Amino acid sequence: GQQLNQSPQSMFIQEGEDVSMNCTSSSIFNTWLWYKQDPGEGPVLLIALYKAGELTSNGRLTAQFGITRKDSFLNISASIPSDVGIYFCAGRSGSGTYKYIFGTGTRLKVLA
Amino acid sequence: DTAVSQTPKYLVTQMGNDKSIKCEQNLGHDTMYWYKQDSKKFLKIMFSYNNKELIINETVPNRFSPKSPDKAHLNLHINSLELGDSAVYFCASSQGDRGLFNQPQHFGDGTRLSIL
């Protein structure tokens, strides 16, 4: 099935550092979502984006809907140990469909 | 109260058996989903129901049969379990009325299925 490419696949960072990750698609999307999954739990919604160019924040997290509508970015500022987890993007193209395509995930590890 | 709840959380069973996973959501959402997450953490949609009607049916073996008795419940029955069925199965829900197709999905905590 179709998947979105996320980059980087995994990263180790020091506590306090800023983190950036992105998600790219070969087709245009009209909605982007960012989720975080902790071990043993389901993905939890972080940010939803509905318009090209939209920039939305949720605490230390900021996500952007790319102008081309083929990509999205997530930034985490001043990372803390509890930011550890897998971050997924999800995109939806077109109208009249309930289906989101999920990214391959970015595994984040924060070193205290 | 848990918004999307799945049971059981863990399921260990023998190859060839039949098993069911249950899902309930108390968010008042119209649309429910089943996803499969493999060992590499890839999330793939399997099925989706909107108001008890099947609207997404990806390429999934017909050993997997979803059932939605009402819009708050979506169960997954699996016949003749195979080794490759081992994965984490997530239920999710969203508000999926017309004009709200882009609403985010809320996930349960998953059912870890292990086939011996």
Side-chain angles (χ1 to χ4, degrees):
Chain A
Q2 183 184 356
Q3 283 172 331
L4 301 175
N5 292 318
Q6 275 186 250
S7 179
Q9 186 175 10
S10 62
M11 55 195 311
F12 284 84
I13 59 166
Q14 292 284 345
E15 183 177 358
E17 285 184 353
D18 295 344
V19 175
S20 291
M21 60 190 79
N22 66 69
C23 192
T24 58
S25 167
S26 57
S27 50
I28 290 173
F29 287 115
N30 58 16
T31 306
W32 286 97
L33 308 174
W34 283 94
Y35 286 89
K36 183 192 178 202
Q37 185 177 18
D38 290 327
E41 297 183 12
V44 174
L45 182 69
L46 300 173
I47 293 176
L49 301 162
Y50 299 105
K51 280 172 145 178
E54 182 180 352
L55 189 71
T56 298
S57 292
N58 178 3
R60 293 178 296 106
L61 278 62
T62 302
Q64 184 161 26
F65 193 138
I67 291 290
T68 65
R69 297 171 63 193
K70 291 185 177 183
D71 53 14
S72 181
F73 309 89
L74 177 69
N75 295 315
I76 305 172
S77 61
S79 57
I80 59 178
S82 62
D83 289 334
V84 164
I86 304 177
Y87 291 80
F88 290 101
C89 63
R92 193 186 68 88
S93 61
S95 60
T97 175
Y98 297 96
K99 190 166 77 172
Y100 277 93
I101 307 298
F102 276 78
T104 48
T106 293
R107 290 140 187 81
L108 180 63
K109 299 188 180 179
V110 179
L111 306 173
Chain B
D1 280 343
T2 304
V4 181
S5 59
Q6 300 178 224
T7 54
K9 182 159 185 167
Y10 298 95
L11 186 52
V12 181
T13 189
Q14 300 272 2
M15 202 163 53
N17 283 350
D18 303 339
K19 289 294 178 186
S20 291
I21 309 171
K22 295 186 175 182
C23 179
E24 175 181 5
Q25 55 93 6
N26 62 7
L27 297 166
H29 288 165
D30 296 311
T31 308
M32 296 184 73
Y33 311 78
W34 278 109
Y35 283 84
K36 180 180 180 182
Q37 187 174 48
D38 63 20
S39 58
K40 294 183 179 177
K41 306 298 184 185
F42 294 152
L43 269 166
K44 283 184 61 174
I45 191 165
M46 300 172 68
F47 301 102
S48 178
Y49 272 74
N50 175 253
N51 276 319
K52 303 191 293 176
E53 180 186 349
L54 181 66
I55 55 170
I56 295 175
N57 185 353
E58 294 293 290
T59 307
V60 175
N62 58 15
R63 298 181 295 104
F64 290 78
S65 51
K67 281 192 172 49
S68 182
D70 55 62
K71 74 174 190 177
H73 295 84
L74 180 62
N75 304 323
L76 183 65
H77 187 76
I78 316 171
N79 289 326
S80 304
L81 281 157
E82 300 178 356
L83 290 175
D85 296 335
S86 294
V88 182
Y89 291 84
F90 285 101
C91 178
S93 73
S94 68
Q95 187 59 277
D97 285 332
R98 289 186 182 280
L100 293 174
F101 294 155
N102 60 356
Q103 293 304 297
Q105 293 162 14
H106 299 260
F107 285 80
D109 281 340
T111 296
R112 283 133 197 87
L113 174 62
S114 298
I115 309 301
L116 304 177

